Amino acid sequence: MDFAPELIQALREARHVVVFTGAGVSAESGIPTFRDALSGLWSHFDAEQLATPEAFEADPALVWGWYEWRRRAAARAQPNPAHLAIARMAGLVSQLQVVTQNVDDLHERAGNADVIHLHGNIAQPYCQRCRRPHAVASDNGTEMGDGQRLTPPRCTACGGTVRPGVVWFGESLPQDAWNSAEAAVRSCDLLVCVGTSGLVQPAAMLPVFAARAGAATIQINPDPTPLNEHVRWNLQGPAGKVLPVLVGQTWA
Ligand code: BJW
Ligand code: ZN
């Protein structure tokens, strides 16, 4: 794999790097990307239609079952070479922040300390009424039946319905996370976009903000995305293959 010398130089000189990630960075850990066909019975459902407050209102057991299935899969998954390369990079530059759309914790488990979650955390459900966090059993090993419906638990404090700790379509992103992400991309000198389709707003604006503010920009993805036209270097391939080589060649 050969990279442009200017790209290697930009990485070596960068003092503040932001790595902006999407579902593709966790794909090689066995977590399906959001817009992949879902496996088994769940393939009868469109992920975009399950990830809404309206879907949860209409059929809580269907949506809670889907999220429990995914929560357990995420808990069993392990960081892959892409997560590990990003964690390694954090030790090689002055400042590295991860801004992720992912609801898993694989960046943290790979060793990154500064991780901003734009779309919440699948392991932290909370009460829909009083917003208190709801402790979920650490049943990581328990396989759920394919397409299994599950009634959502009740809040132990107020009896309200517990909901997944993620941001659905039509909901606002957590204000603190969004402010931190926006500040990070506007002040970084290099942005690396990894494994995102760049279709979901407002997250997809972040690379545009970085480019407008003068940051060097890189995208790593096996497929073209709408971000191609906004970034300087498009590295086509799976993140778990490209990132370790890129980090290895830059800081050899
Ligand atoms: C690999 C790989 C490998 C594979 N290596 N790569 C402006 C215009 C139009 C619409 C809107 C707008 N502003 C807001 C909207 C509406 C909406 C939106 O964006 N809709 C679009 C779909 C059109 N946005 C919202 O509603 C947001 N809220 C908001 O804007 O609030 C203000 C507001 C309030 C009220 C009314 C109006 C506005 C909230 C968005 C929340 C998104 N939530 C989800 C679900 C989270 C929970 C869950 O996981 O179930 O977040 S949706 C889903 O998409 C998930 C992801 O984080 C997000 C992004 O997906 P991502 O990560 O890019 O994954 P994929 O699957 O799309 O792509 C994977 C990529 O990986 C692909 O490119 C592959 O090629 C690649 N890949 N293998 C590297 N090995
Ligand atoms: Zn409650």
Side-chain angles (χ1 to χ4, degrees):
M1 229 178 283
D2 278 330
F3 303 107
E6 298 81 7
L7 161 57
I8 300 288
Q9 193 184 348
L11 269 169
R12 281 194 188 133
E13 289 173 357
R15 305 190 63 75
H16 180 187
V17 174
V18 172
V19 182
F20 173 55
T21 64
V25 79
S26 295
E28 291 159 82
S29 294
I31 300 180
T33 67
F34 200 77
R35 286 168 183 82
D36 269 346
L38 298 175
S39 60
L41 279 183
W42 292 116
S43 64
H44 297 303
F45 301 101
D46 179 349
E48 290 212 13
Q49 281 164 17
L50 288 171
T52 66
E54 292 76 20
F56 190 54
E57 184 69 28
D59 195 341
L62 174 74
V63 174
W64 182 260
W66 185 55
Y67 277 95
E68 267 298 285
W69 173 68
R70 291 179 51 211
R71 182 183 70 80
R72 293 174 197 198
R76 281 196 305 271
Q78 295 301 322
N80 67 53
H83 297 106
L84 297 172
I86 295 166
R88 191 171 157 227
M89 212 193 296
L92 296 164
V93 297
S94 303
Q95 186 185 7
L96 185 141
Q97 293 179 283
V98 176
V99 176
T100 189
Q101 299 166 82
N102 296 345
V103 295
D104 64 53
D105 63 352
L106 293 177
H107 286 301
E108 287 90 338
R109 285 202 269 139
N112 282 102
D114 193 347
V115 185
I116 298 167
H117 282 271
L118 294 176
H119 294 160
N121 182 335
I122 201 164
Q124 289 174 7
Y126 64 92
C127 172
Q128 197 161 237
R129 189 188 294 159
C130 72
R131 301 186 77 83
R132 278 192 184 83
H134 180 84
V136 280
S138 56
D139 45 4
N140 305 347
T142 320
E143 285 274 3
M144 276 184 66
D146 198 1
Q148 191 178 324
R149 302 161 66 89
L150 273 184
T151 304
R154 292 276 165 191
C155 171
T156 49
C158 81
T161 304
V162 171
R163 60 158 284 173
V166 302
V167 180
W168 282 325
F169 286 115
E171 296 185 318
S172 297
L173 273 55
Q175 196 63 48
D176 287 357
W178 176 252
N179 290 347
S180 304
E182 206 182 334
V185 300
R186 288 191 194 279
S187 60
C188 70
D189 35 36
L190 191 137
L191 177 88
V192 191
C193 304
V194 187
T196 178
S197 59
L199 293 173
V200 173
Q201 299 293 348
M205 288 303 294
L206 294 170
V208 181
F209 294 161
R212 281 192 196 144
T217 47
I218 303 170
Q219 172 172 240
I220 301 170
N221 198 310
D223 295 322
T225 77
L227 300 177
N228 278 57
E229 60 179 284
H230 298 285
V231 302
R232 173 142 182 221
W233 292 288
N234 280 293
L235 309 181
Q236 206 165 345
K241 296 270 182 303
V242 176
L243 265 166
V245 179
L246 183 63
V247 173
Q249 285 192 18
T250 303
W251 289 281

